[in-house]
Every structure is written in C-alpha cells, then in structure tokens.
C-alpha cells in the first residue's frame, strides 16, 4: 500500500512538473499516436525487440507522464519476462535488453529520467531478480549525491552472506558522494562482516580511490577509532602499498590511481594517516619502510 | 648459376649435377674405299675421359661401320656426370676414328662448351660433321634424378648472403635458367600473427606468398596434436611398423607415435607460389640437430612433417630446399606429464553454473588440445574422497555441490574466495564452476580466475637463450637487445626472459591450486562455448603454473609478442589465442603442480 502511495505521489509530482511547463509543451508533443502505439506495444507485444524499441521511445520522451507509464511496465514481472526471456538471463547481463534500457537511463540528458532508476530500486518485482539488482547497483554509481532511497537500497543489498555486498561497496566508493562514503565507512566498521570480506573491500573499493579526499577522511576515522588491529594493518597497506599478485591475482582488475592525481588536501591526509600508522599501528618492517618513505616524500 | 649481381653464396652441398650422354651416330661416309670401316670413339667431358676402351665403340672394341649406318651407343657407358656447383663452363669433346693398319684416321671431332649462364642447356644436340652426325644430350639432376625435366623444375639453390648478412632467402634457378628468390618460414606461433607483428622479411617482389597458419577449430574429438608447431615435441615410442606385429613396449614406455599423437611441424609461409610446394614435396627435406633426438613419422619431406621425440632436450629442425637451408624451428623434446584435476559445480537455485557434469569432459578435452603444445595433460584425479557435501555425478572427478550460499557461486570475490576450496584436494588442479565473479559493469565479462597458485621454484623469472627466440620475440634492452635470430637478422640478441607470478596461497592451504570458471564463457554445450571453456581452463592453468599475461594486466615483462595469439594474452577470443611458446613451456613444466 505504501509503495502504491509513493508511486501515486511520484506520478503526481511528475505530472505537476509537466503541467507547470504549460500548454505550449503539450502542443509540442508532436506525436501522440506514437506514444499510444508504444504503450500498446508494451502492453501486448511478445516480440522482445519491439518491446525494447517501444520502451526506448518512451524513455526519449521529455514528457514525465510517458516516463511514469514506462515505470509502470518496468515494475511488473509479466512485462520484464516478455522483454527478456529466462534464456536471455542465462546468457548474462551484458546481453539483456533491460541492461540496455538502464544504460539509456544513465546516459539520458532528460531531467527526471535518472529518478526512474531510483524508483526501480524499490519495485519489488523488479528487484526480485538478482541480475536486475546488479544492474541497478552498477547504475547507482551515477546517482550523486546519493538520495536517501538509494542509500536505503545499498544498505539493503549489502548484508552478510548476500551476493551483492562487494558490488555495493565498490559502487559506494565509485559514487563518492558523502552519503555513499558514510555508508561505506559504516560497513567497513561493522563486525557483522568477516575480516576477509572487509579486507577485500579495502583491496578493491578503497584501493581504487585511495587518493580521494572523502575516502581518505573515512579511512582516517576508521583507522583511529573503529577497526581491529589486523584490519588497521590491511587498511594501511591498501593506502600505501600495492600487491596485485597477492591481492587480486593475475588479472589486475583494481589498479590504484596515479599518485599525481592526489590533491594537496589528499597529500596532507596521507601524511597524517602515515604518521599515525607509524606511531600506532603494528606494521611489519617492509610496510613500515614504505609508509615512512611516503611520509618523508610528502614532508618535502 | 647466377645468383644476382652483388650476392655471394654460402658454400653448402647441393645437388647440382649435369649429365652428358652420347647417344648415337648417323654415318654418312664410313671412311674406307673398299668394305666397311672400323670405328671407335673417344670423348672427354670437363677434361675427363668418357667411355670404356673395352666397351662397344671403345678403342679395343671398334664397330663395323658402313655408309648410312646408325650406331646406337651404350648410354650407360658413353655418358658423364659433372658436379657444376662451382663451375661456370664444361667442355664436351667427341671424336670418331677409323682403325687402320698404319695409323687411325680421324673421321671428325667436335668440341662444345656448356655454360652456366646458359643454364647448362638441358636438351638434345645434333652436331653434323662431314662423315657423321652426333646426337648427344644434356640432362640436369633434379631431386637426384636425371631425366628431361620441365623447364620450371628447380635445378639449383643457394642461401643468399648480401655483404655479410644472410637475407633469409634462397636463390634458385630453374632448368630453363630462370632465376628466382624463395623464402620459407616456420613460425613458432600458431595461429600465425599478422605480418606487421613478425620480424621484417625481405619483401616478395612481384611474387605471391603462400600462407599457412589459420587458427584451428578445436573440438573435443580433434586429434590431440591439432595445433601445429608446438613448443614441446612429445617423447613417444617408435611407431608400429607398417608390416608385422607391433613391438611390445617395455613397462613405462610412452605410447607409440601415430599421425594423431606426433607433433605437426609445418611451413607457415613461403614465396613464390609458383614453386607450388606440396605437403610431401620431395624438394623440401627436413633434418634435426641433434639427429637422434627425434624421429620422423613417415617421410621427412614437404611443407608438413610429423615428428616424435626420442630423447629429451632441445632440438633444432632445419628444412632445406634442394640442399639450401631455408628455415629453422626450435623446440623441446619432453615427456607428456599429467596433472590430476577435479571439477566442482557449485549450484545455488537461480544462480547456478550453466555447465552440467557431462560438459566437463568436453571442456577438459579441449584444454588438453591446447596443453599438448607444452607437453601437459589434465587427467581425472583418481582420489574420490569428497567434502563440503559434494556428490558424485557419474563423470570421473566431476562433482556437484548443491545449495551453496549464493555468494559462493554468484559475484564470487576475495583474495582467496572460499568457493575455491570447496571439495578441493591438495596438489591437484581444482576447477570450480561458478555462476560469476564480481565485476564493475555489465559490459565486462570475466571468464575465469586463478585464485590459488603454488610457489614456482624459478620465481621471479625464467629465461631462454636459444635462437630463434620463443615466439620470435626480440629481447628487450634490459635483456641485452638484438633480434630474434630469424634472418635477416644482423644482430641476434640476448636471452629472452619472462617474469613469473608470485605464489598465492591462503593460510592453512599451502598446496591448494584452484581456478574459477564462470558462465561468462557462454553455452557450455555448443561448439563455440566448449572452445571458450577449454581455452579458458588452459589460460587459468597457465596462471596456476606461474605464467603472467603475455599481453594484458600484470604482463610477463617480454615485448608483449605475439599481440593476441598467445593463450596468455588477456581477453582474446579462443579462435585467436591458441599458442603457448617454448619459454612458457619451460616455466609451466617446472611448477610443483606438475609431477616430476
């Protein structure tokens, strides 16, 4: 019921926005029949390619009513299973029409389209499928600053023993907005997750953003207050060292950013974290030397 | 034979012989006023006497001759062979004499000069003298045979040297005197990379090259030796003789060589196409150094040969074009070593691997066809002990684990994922079929992941100092620079070195070797999918045995050659990356996962 009400409010807001543009916009809507035809296709067709084309035509419409109509279809498993068959899902996300639609939403210049992504995150039938959840997680990187509904979605899909946590954590770091970093920090500090899991997040999500100021600030707080000693050591390693063979295996999927990208503020934070690590964290000799060298370099 | 204006030649033995045959005389005047004449003959070819005084027509066995007689000479006696390799002309002299009481009468003699620059003139000659006409013939040896050869048959060959540089070509002359230039290559990379990735070769001017080196459609039932020009020639027992019972092999002896198990070595490029070399062309002769290291299955002639190893070690194969060294191929003779594997299919309802137990043997069979190049073979682990709720599937060493937590099969991640050790056995290759590996975009495909690798005894690197270099790589400046040893190469370089992966073992599992294989490989049941799965298993096993990417993330430190065709090139499709090279073979076979 609550979902229905939210949906009604959303549609009303969209409709209000549309009305406020004035009747001129309405007149500019060149082809009503095209939209009707698209909706008719979405309602009845069993041809996946036709369905995809019709959905794209609605996506390209600047009319919020068309977007709301599309959302109605995307919220139903009945439609989604006509758009992509179980066999399509078996082939993988890359080959799904829904993946292409979400990509269209991500790249659309039309205001309000990205809000569709946020709406989909709370459509029960849409997120009943793991692949579609993954598509939303990947797309959520672009939703900056992350609204509360997105944070809620991330939180719900990064629980111990689910299969999305690592994707979400990487998306949080890639998103980089403060709400995302706050959640990342909470997850890293949570002892609900095994150490091995959290070490992996550090070696992927943190490593690939280890010169971003918000990430460094979160790392400083984690280091000083919330992490057990074994994880402190790993966090320092991730911030100062790079061991791809050991951390990621041969495929090198998670390279650190170039040091030249670090801002002055980031450099200051690195220096502070380094000095703290040398003073308070039990580092092995090799890592101690690496951290010391970096701190000395930054002092110069 | 002319070999071009400024070109010298390397003095190598070659079959460059001509044969002068005196065939018959047509007599006009026998030389005697009354009765018949008694003729005998004398001849010299290249200054050496021809014939036999006691043979018919010799001084001690004159022939009774009348006007208008035709005298047939015994061509096996009245002929001479001359090796013309270092000659520019050959003198031919013939004379007929009529035996007389006081002094013999000369019935006529002739002298003729055969010249190299006239291609030695393979033909029949008729020389008319006052008293007789002599019919004689010049034949050239081609492939050791003296007959009247077609004009286009190649008579002589020479390896080309310009100044002090071997051009990598062979100059040849035909029976009719046409001179051409030929080049042959036996590329060690299969499929053969595009020309721009290969050592610079002399351009084929005005002639068309012939190429051989397309990728193979490897299937589970393909011959195990389907990939030609392997780095390792397998050590095999002598083949079964064509007739008679097969010899009993001693215990532990490798199986006998067959056309399906011996290594295929093939010429990958030659010009000009007008030479029309065939697969068993007698003009191309192969030899090995050391000679007893390998045996040839069938004959040692042609564009393609089958070889099997007899003793372990390095071997250099050379193919000669009618005597002239034309191309060389270096390989290692070694035993086929077997690596036990077990496969586990990790299922979770709705997020299972697409691979069924019955698909696994097909994937392994294809992987083995790629691994044959390095003398390795995956075989089912004979130990059937199970853990982690694994169940048997009816296929050797293939197990299912049902209802694993979803994160053990979907979006698997971690420096040492738990998925890799489910129902594992130490010291075997554990192949874990899962749904997927964590990725950052739907566009990305991750086919596999080598998660656990034993320490390699040669870490951090291995090297190879023989030429031609592995994959015809040019050594980097750090390796000493220089060329790959394929002519023309004025500066064959230093050793080739590749860096190896560090060990990656989780605490408590020092002998775990494991790879993950995902649904991104596609449909595991059709030919295209099977090829991708098999190729992926070979690639990931390469990592487990210590190899880095040849091209891609964390590269092996070589020059990144070949650009796509090596199995360790990251992300290339299996119809492109099919090759392992010699240095990789050395490294892989030294891994502790490979039995001694």
């Amino acid at each position: 019921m609550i979902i229905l009400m939210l949906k009604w409010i959303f549609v009303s807001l969209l409709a209000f926005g549309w009305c406020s543009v004035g009747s001129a916009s309405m007149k500019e809507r060149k082809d009503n029949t095209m939209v009707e035809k698209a909706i008719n296709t979405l309602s009845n067709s069993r041809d996946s390619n036709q369905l995809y084309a019709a959905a794209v035509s609605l996506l390209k419409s600047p009319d919020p009513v068309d977007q709301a109509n599309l959302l109605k279809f995307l919220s139903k498993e009945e439609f989604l299973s006509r758009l992509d068959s179980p066999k399509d899902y078996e082939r993988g996300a890359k080959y799904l029409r829904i993946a292409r639609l979400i990509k269209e939403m991500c790249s659309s210049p039309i205001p309000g389209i990205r809000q569709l992504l946020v709406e989909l995150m709370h459509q029960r039938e849409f997120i009943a499928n793991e692949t579609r959840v993954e598509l939303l997680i990947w797309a959520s990187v672009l939703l900056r600053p992350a609204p509360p509904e997105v944070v809620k979605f991330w939180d719900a899909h990064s629980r111990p023993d689910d299969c999305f946590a690592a994707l979400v954590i990487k998306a949080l770091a890639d998103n980089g907005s403060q709400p995302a970093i706050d959640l990342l920090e909470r997850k890293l500090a949570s002892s609900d997750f095994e150490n091995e899991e959290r070490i992996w997040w550090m070696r992927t999500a943190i490593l690939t953003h280890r010169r971003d100021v918000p990430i460094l600030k979160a790392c400083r707080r984690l280091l000083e207050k919330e992490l057990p000693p074994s994880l402190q050591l790993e966090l320092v390693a991730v911030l100062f060292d790079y061991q791809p063979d050991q951390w990621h295996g041969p495929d090198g999927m998670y390279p650190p950013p170039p040091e030249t990208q670090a801002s002055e503020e980031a450099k200051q934070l690195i220096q502070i974290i380094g000095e703290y690590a040398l003073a308070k964290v039990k580092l092995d000799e090799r890592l101690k030397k690496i951290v010391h060298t970096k701190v000395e370099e930054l002092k110069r | 034979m002319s070999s071009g204006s400024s070109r010298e030649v390397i003095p190598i033995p070659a079959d460059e012989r001509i044969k002068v045959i005196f065939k018959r005389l047509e007599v006009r005047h026998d030389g005697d006023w009354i009765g018949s004449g008694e003729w005998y003959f004398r001849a010299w070819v290249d200054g050496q006497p021809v014939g036999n005084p006691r043979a018919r027509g010799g001084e001690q066995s004159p022939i009774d001759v009348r006007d208008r007689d035709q005298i047939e000479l015994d061509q096996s006696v009245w002929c001479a062979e001359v090796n013309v390799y270092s000659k520019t002309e050959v003198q031919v002299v013939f004379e007929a004499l009529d035996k007389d009481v006081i002094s013999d009468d000369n019935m006529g003699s002739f002298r003729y000069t055969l010249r190299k620059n006239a291609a030695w003139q393979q033909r029949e000659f008729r020389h008319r003298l006052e008293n007789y006409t002599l019919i004689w013939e010049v034949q050239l040896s081609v492939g050791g045979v003296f007959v009247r050869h077609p004009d286009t048959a190649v008579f002589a060959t020479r390896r080309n040297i310009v100044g002090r540089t071997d051009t990598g070509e062979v100059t040849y002359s035909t029976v009719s005197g046409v001179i051409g230039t030929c080049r042959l290559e036996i590329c060690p990379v299969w499929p053969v990379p595009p020309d721009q990735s290969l050592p610079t070769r002399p351009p084929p001017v005005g002639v068309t090259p012939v190429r051989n080196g397309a990728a193979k459609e490897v299937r589970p039932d393909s011959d195990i030796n389907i990939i030609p020009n392997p780095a390792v020639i397998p050590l095999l027992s002598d083949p079964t003789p064509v007739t008679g019972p097969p010899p009993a092999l001693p215990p532990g002896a490798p199986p006998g060589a067959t056309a399906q198990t011996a290594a295929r070595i093939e010429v990958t490029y030659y010009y000009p196409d007008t030479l029309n070399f065939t697969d068993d062309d007698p003009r191309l002769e192969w030899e090995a150094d050391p000679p007893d290291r390998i045996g040839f299955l069938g004959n040692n002639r042609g564009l393609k040969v089958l070889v099997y190893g007899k003793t372990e070690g390095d071997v250099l194969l050379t193919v000669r074009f009618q005597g002239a060294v034309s191309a060389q191929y270096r390989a290692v003779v070694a035993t086929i070593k077997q690596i036990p594997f077990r496969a586990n299919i990790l299922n979770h309802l709705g997020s299972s691997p697409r691979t069924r137990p019955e698909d696994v043997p097909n994937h392994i069979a294809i992987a083995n066809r790629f691994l044959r190049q390095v003398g390795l073979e995956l075989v089912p682990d004979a130990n059937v002990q199970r853990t982690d709720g694994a169940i048997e599937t009816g296929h050797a060493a293939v197990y299912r684990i049902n209802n694993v937590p979803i994160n053990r099969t979907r979006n698997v991640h971690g420096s040492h994922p738990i998925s890799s050790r489910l129902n594992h056995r130490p010291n075997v290759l554990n192949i874990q079929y899962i749904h997927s590996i964590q990725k950052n975009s739907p566009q990305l495909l991750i086919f596999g992941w080598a998660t656990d690798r034993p320490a390699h005894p040669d870490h951090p690197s291995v090297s190879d100092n023989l030429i031609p270099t592995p994959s015809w790589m040019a050594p980097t400046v750090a390796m000493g620079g220089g060329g790959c040893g394929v002519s023309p190469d004025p500066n064959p370089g230093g050793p080739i070195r590749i860096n190896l992966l560090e060990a990656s073992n989780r605490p408590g599992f020092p002998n775990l070797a494991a790879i993950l294989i995902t649904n991104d490989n596609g449909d595991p049941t059709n030919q295209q999918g099977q090829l991708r799965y098999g190729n992926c298993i070979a690639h990931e096993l390469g990592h487990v045995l210590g190899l880095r990417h040849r091209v891609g993330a964390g590269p092996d430190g070589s020059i990144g050659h070949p650009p796509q065709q090596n199995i360790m090139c990251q992300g290339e499709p299996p119809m492109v990356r099919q090759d392992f090279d010699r240095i990789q073979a050395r490294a892989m076979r030294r891994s502790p996962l490979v039995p001694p």
Side-chain angles (χ1 to χ4, degrees), chain A residues 118-143:
Chain A
V118 180
E119 287 298 315
L120 286 174
M121 289 175 183
H122 300 286
Q123 299 304 319
R124 191 172 47 82
E125 292 184 27
F126 189 90
I127 61 172
N129 176 284
E130 286 91 351
T131 304
R132 295 198 292 263
V133 172
E134 288 160 6
L135 292 170
L136 288 176
I137 294 170
W138 289 319
S140 68
V141 169
L142 297 174
L143 302 173

Side-chain angles (χ1 to χ4, degrees), chain A residues 131 134 197 200 203 245-246, chain B residues 410 413 415 438 503 548:
Chain A
T131 304
E134 288 160 6
E197 179 76 10
W200 175 252
R203 290 174 175 179
D245 281 8
Q246 291 295 323
Chain B
R410 189 175 187 117
H413 58 274
S415 295
Q438 177 193 346
R548 290 180 170 277

Side-chain angles (χ1 to χ4, degrees), chain A residues 25 27 35 88 159 165 169-170 200 229 237 242 291:
Chain A
S25 300
K27 283 175 192 162
V35 171
D88 294 330
R159 301 288 162 87
I169 299 298
K170 185 71 171 66
W200 175 252
Y242 180 45
V291 175

Side-chain angles (χ1 to χ4, degrees), chain B residues 264-285:
Chain B
R264 299 168 191 255
I265 312 293
E266 300 185 1
V267 170
T268 51
Y269 174 95
Y270 77 85
Y271 60 70
D273 61 339
T274 51
L275 286 169
N276 291 313
F277 288 129
T278 59
D279 287 356
D280 57 353
D281 201 302
R283 294 170 293 175
L284 300 177
E285 184 175 19

Side-chain angles (χ1 to χ4, degrees), chain A residues 206-217:
Chain A
I206 300 290
L207 175 73
T208 51
H209 293 278
R210 69 180 185 181
R211 296 299 175 255
D212 294 0
V213 168
I215 290 276
L216 284 168
K217 285 180 176 171

Side-chain angles (χ1 to χ4, degrees), chain B residues 550-593:
Chain B
R550 177 57 56 86
V551 176
D556 64 14
S558 66
I559 61 166
H561 174 81
Q564 297 175 286
Q565 291 73 16
N566 193 281
I567 288 176
M568 299 314 292
C569 290
Q570 188 178 20
E572 297 295 343
M575 280 304 286
V576 174
R577 64 171 200 196
Q578 301 197 331
D579 192 64
F580 282 120
D581 71 15
R582 202 170 71 228
I583 193 166
Q584 290 173 323
R586 283 183 202 281
M588 293 166 84
R589 295 172 63 86
R590 291 264 298 152
S591 164
L593 189 64

Side-chain angles (χ1 to χ4, degrees), chain A residues 90 94 130-131 134-135 138 161-163 166-167 170 197 200 203 245-248 250-251 253-254, chain B residues 354 407 410-411 413-415 438-444 446 449 453 502-503 543 548-549 553 570:
Chain A
E90 209 173 39
K94 182 181 167 89
E130 286 91 351
T131 304
E134 288 160 6
L135 292 170
W138 289 319
D161 296 330
D162 76 15
C163 62
L167 299 189
K170 185 71 171 66
E197 179 76 10
W200 175 252
R203 290 174 175 179
D245 281 8
Q246 291 295 323
W247 295 352
H248 310 131
D251 291 340
M253 300 272 291
Y254 302 98
Chain B
R354 297 175 74 180
N407 59 4
R410 189 175 187 117
N411 293 324
H413 58 274
S415 295
Q438 177 193 346
K439 52 192 166 193
N440 302 324
S441 141
Q443 302 308 314
L444 193 62
I446 303 182
W449 182 10
R453 313 178 290 276
E502 281 182 46
H543 286 317
R548 290 180 170 277
H549 289 134
Q570 188 178 20

